[in-house]
Amino acid sequence: MALPPAFLDELRARTPLPGLIGRKTRLAKSGRNWKGCCPFHGEKTPSFYVYDDHFHCFGCGAHGDAITFIMRADGASFPEAVERLASEAGMDVPKPSAQDAARDRRVRDLHAVMAVAADAYHRRLFLPEGRPALDYLLRRGLTERTIRDFALGWAPGGRGALAADLRAEDITEAQMIEAGLLRRGEGGDPPRDFFFARVMFPIRDRRGRVIAFGGRILGDGQPKYVNSPETPLFRKRMGLYGLDLAREGAFRGAPVVAVEGYMDVIALHQAGFTGAVAPLGTALTAEQLEELWRLNPEPVLCFDGDAAGARAAARAAEVALPLISSERSLRFATLPAGDDPDTLTAKRGSGAFQAVLDAARPMAEALYGLVAEGRPAVTPEQRAALRHRLTGAAGAIADKALSAEYRRVLLDRFFAASRRPQSGGRPPSRTLPRPAIAAGPVQAERARMMFAVILRHPWLLPQVEEAVGLLDLPPGPATQLRDALLASTVAAEPLDSEGLIAQLARYGVEDAVSWALAPIGLPLAARAEALPGEVEEGFWHFFLRLRGEAELIEDQQDALKALAETNDPSAQRRLILVSEALDALRRGEGASGASGDAA
């Protein structure tokens, strides 16, 4: 009795393979994966690799998932292996019902139906009736080996031909309808073929089982491509064309790249890009992105170099943003105008497509253009709208730390673009620019004063440690002191200034402490007798001057919102401090403004 696929998928997800396999053989980290000597055959040089969801030995060919490993390593049956892993994962093995058994038998039967249908279509491609389709594929540059590897076929134009082929294998009409091979007749008419006079592309799942078909008409008729209807085996938004072959390609180090069409996938595999896949006639879905990430943490999405390609890339980014994390992202590649992967490799060879992949941009770099694409940002209203779109895109990322990084990157680029001279506008001012002030020493001095306030008033640290931890500080004593302060905040009791400095000595930052407390130019807030209000105001004064323009603008918006909601004097003071810091930054405040109210 087969177990529900969802249960088995969760069981595999809850069973870390390196830990399981590491009980039998010693594993060492190898990039993102693990490797060791194969536990199934004697070897001295490691050729056994462990990936996120499977293992593979390049010596003896052993291959499988966690369940397979237990069966092979311990001689367990499938139910025994499942029971053992479920017990370790804290899961209960589902008890089958009569309905479950019937459904599983039907699904197994449908897989068999689709396998027979694929064989029938493939066989007909090499018969005289399929000669026009075979000639079409050969003209498109496919070799006979590629045609056989992808099991391409031909759905005949004569009605009832496929049904006749399948009836000879004891497949019923009802099974053909359920598998999506026949359409139900209307008004008492008999069922008719779903695919008629089309080149056939079998669609397979991760395990290589045929679950559906795509059919392309010869000539210029419409629709050019038709996919199987949704069936118990096939959900269009869940799968990827070429997924089973791309898994093997990815395991052997091929880049994972999602392109638009079936012929693009086939042409790329033939050109050596064996990690190529394509969505099934739809825009890329969240489920398909999850499949891509199972193959590679940073797959490439490849789009046409026209307006439609830009729109498709923007839609894909919108779907992906809530799902990305520090462990998985995307890269975006753009094809030369007028080319797709099929025509590009046919005309200019695999090197041309490799150049496209080499030029692929990380998502953080590509996102600005995808959000701003084709929309002017000249007037204040247009610029405000663009800024809202950019912050909205960053805000869609569920990982808060990553969201903040994206917001910073996008707004930095927004303000840089805003400062760029615009052609056709008013001529640039002839006023001589003010000499630039070196930012490094100014920022270091501001950091010194901020830390002096904390060191003299340690009660402040629990309130501000998170904010300090997010600052971009100049390297050297500022960064050393910040790291030591954050590491020291686990003390059971509040510390006074001397106690905190003594605790920091354990981290070897005495020189950094001396740097921070050097008396020259220290603010009044760093005096021991400063009042709490003076201490807090002094800290935020220097903290805000260590922020960038984009961050200060966001701080100002947050402060405005807080003041509107609470009408609290502290919120008003916070808004004043942020606005002063932003004005100082835009004026190019120098070292003279860094010391604040000196003692």
Side-chain angles (χ1 to χ4, degrees), residues 273-285:
F273 300 96
T274 54
V277 295
L280 303 174
T282 64
L284 204 62
T285 67

Side-chain angles (χ1 to χ4, degrees), residues 30 38 74 101 113 158 161 302 304 328 415 436 502 521 530 545:
S30 177
C38 179
D74 296 343
V113 169
C302 186
D304 294 343
R328 61 185 197 179
F415 289 117
R545 279 158 177 76

Side-chain angles (χ1 to χ4, degrees), residues 109-316:
D109 290 345
L110 288 182
H111 279 302
V113 169
M114 298 301 278
V116 173
D119 288 342
Y121 288 138
H122 185 60
R123 184 176 64 254
R124 286 182 177 275
L125 181 66
F126 295 95
L127 297 177
E129 65 182 89
R131 189 70 215 188
L134 181 60
D135 288 342
Y136 162 80
L137 295 172
L138 295 173
R139 283 198 306 274
R140 294 290 297 266
L142 301 188
T143 66
E144 187 168 323
R145 177 177 177 178
T146 297
I147 291 169
R148 293 190 184 278
D149 285 345
F150 282 85
L152 305 183
W154 170 249
R159 297 189 183 276
L162 178 67
D165 286 343
L166 270 60
R167 286 193 195 100
E169 300 291 334
D170 295 326
I171 295 172
T172 67
E173 197 171 79
Q175 287 176 307
M176 296 182 218
I177 292 173
E178 190 171 19
L181 299 170
L182 297 182
R183 301 177 191 266
R184 294 186 184 277
E186 298 178 0
D189 292 338
R192 53 196 177 90
D193 300 70
F194 190 90
F195 296 102
F196 182 81
R198 288 181 179 267
V199 180
M200 299 299 289
F201 299 82
I203 299 167
R204 298 184 285 230
D205 64 12
R206 290 173 61 86
R207 295 168 58 181
R209 300 173 300 184
V210 178
I211 56 174
F213 293 94
R216 188 197 192 282
I217 196 169
L218 290 179
D220 298 325
Q222 293 296 328
K224 183 180 291 186
Y225 280 94
V226 171
N227 284 333
S228 292
E230 300 219 338
T231 71
L233 301 183
F234 179 55
R235 295 289 183 271
K236 187 180 296 187
R237 66 181 294 107
M238 304 294 288
L240 292 164
Y241 183 70
L243 179 60
D244 58 317
L245 297 177
R247 285 185 70 198
E248 185 64 27
F251 300 157
R252 297 183 182 277
V256 174
V257 53
V259 291
E260 182 178 345
Y262 298 161
M263 286 299 297
D264 294 327
V265 171
I266 297 171
L268 287 177
H269 276 258
Q270 182 171 283
F273 300 96
T274 54
V277 295
L280 303 174
T282 64
L284 204 62
T285 67
E287 292 85 354
Q288 290 164 344
L289 283 170
E290 294 288 352
E291 287 286 5
L292 289 173
W293 282 319
R294 292 179 74 176
L295 302 182
N296 188 288
E298 196 178 31
V300 179
L301 307 186
C302 186
F303 297 96
D304 294 343
D306 55 14
R311 289 193 298 271
R315 286 195 301 269

Side-chain angles (χ1 to χ4, degrees), residues 4 7 59 105 123 132 151 195 219 232 252 320 339 410 529 562 581:
F7 166 79
R105 283 196 300 272
R123 184 176 64 254
F195 296 102
R252 297 183 182 277
D339 272 322
L410 292 173
E529 66 269 25

Side-chain angles (χ1 to χ4, degrees), residues 322-580:
L323 306 174
I324 65 172
S325 71
S326 58
E327 301 296 327
R328 61 185 197 179
S329 188
L330 297 169
R331 288 188 294 147
F332 289 78
T334 303
L335 291 157
D339 272 322
D340 54 37
D342 178 19
T343 58
L344 184 64
T345 54
K347 291 188 301 185
R348 296 167 54 193
S350 60
F353 189 74
Q354 184 61 56
V356 170
L357 293 184
D358 292 342
R361 295 172 296 162
M363 186 161 184
E365 181 182 327
L367 186 58
Y368 185 92
L370 296 176
V371 174
E373 180 71 30
R375 298 178 179 178
V378 178
T379 68
E381 293 82 3
Q382 291 169 344
R383 292 183 64 248
L386 173 57
R387 188 176 152 214
H388 284 311
R389 290 196 300 273
L390 293 171
T391 56
I397 301 172
D399 183 322
K400 295 306 179 186
L402 185 62
S403 174
E405 286 299 315
Y406 264 76
R407 184 177 66 180
R408 180 182 63 79
V409 168
L410 292 173
L411 290 181
D412 280 352
R413 185 166 174 184
F414 171 79
F415 289 117
S418 301
R419 289 191 290 268
R420 192 174 300 133
Q422 302 292 325
S423 60
R426 53 191 296 182
S429 169
R430 296 184 180 275
T431 304
L432 292 176
R434 199 165 52 176
I437 298 170
V442 172
Q443 291 296 82
E445 187 68 2
R446 290 169 176 163
R448 182 177 80 87
M449 294 175 191
M450 181 187 73
F451 284 123
V453 174
I454 295 174
L455 289 170
R456 286 297 182 224
H457 304 281
W459 57 265
L460 183 66
L461 190 52
Q463 303 174 30
V464 302
E465 62 178 322
E466 182 177 353
V468 172
L470 295 175
L471 279 176
D472 288 330
L473 293 172
T479 302
Q480 297 165 12
L481 194 51
R482 189 259 303 278
D483 293 345
L485 279 167
L486 296 181
S488 72
T489 59
V490 296
E493 298 180 2
L495 296 173
D496 57 16
S497 180
E498 290 73 16
L500 176 59
I501 292 171
Q503 188 179 93
L504 291 176
R506 300 206 306 260
Y507 299 93
V509 292
E510 295 91 339
D511 289 344
V513 170
S514 298
W515 163 79
L517 294 178
I520 299 175
L522 283 185
L524 295 174
R527 288 182 177 178
E529 66 269 25
L531 296 175
E534 295 171 331
V535 171
E536 291 182 349
E537 185 171 332
F539 168 85
W540 289 113
H541 173 88
F542 294 109
F543 172 86
L544 290 169
R545 279 158 177 76
L546 288 164
R547 302 273 275 170
E549 184 176 5
E551 289 86 354
L552 284 173
I553 289 174
E554 291 300 308
D555 290 344
Q556 188 181 53
Q557 294 298 320
D558 292 342
L560 278 168
K561 183 178 179 182
L563 180 59
E565 291 174 351
T566 66
N567 197 30
D568 187 88
S570 63
Q572 183 180 28
R573 186 59 186 155
R574 172 82 167 147
L575 176 59
I576 292 170
L577 286 169
V578 174
S579 299
E580 288 175 351

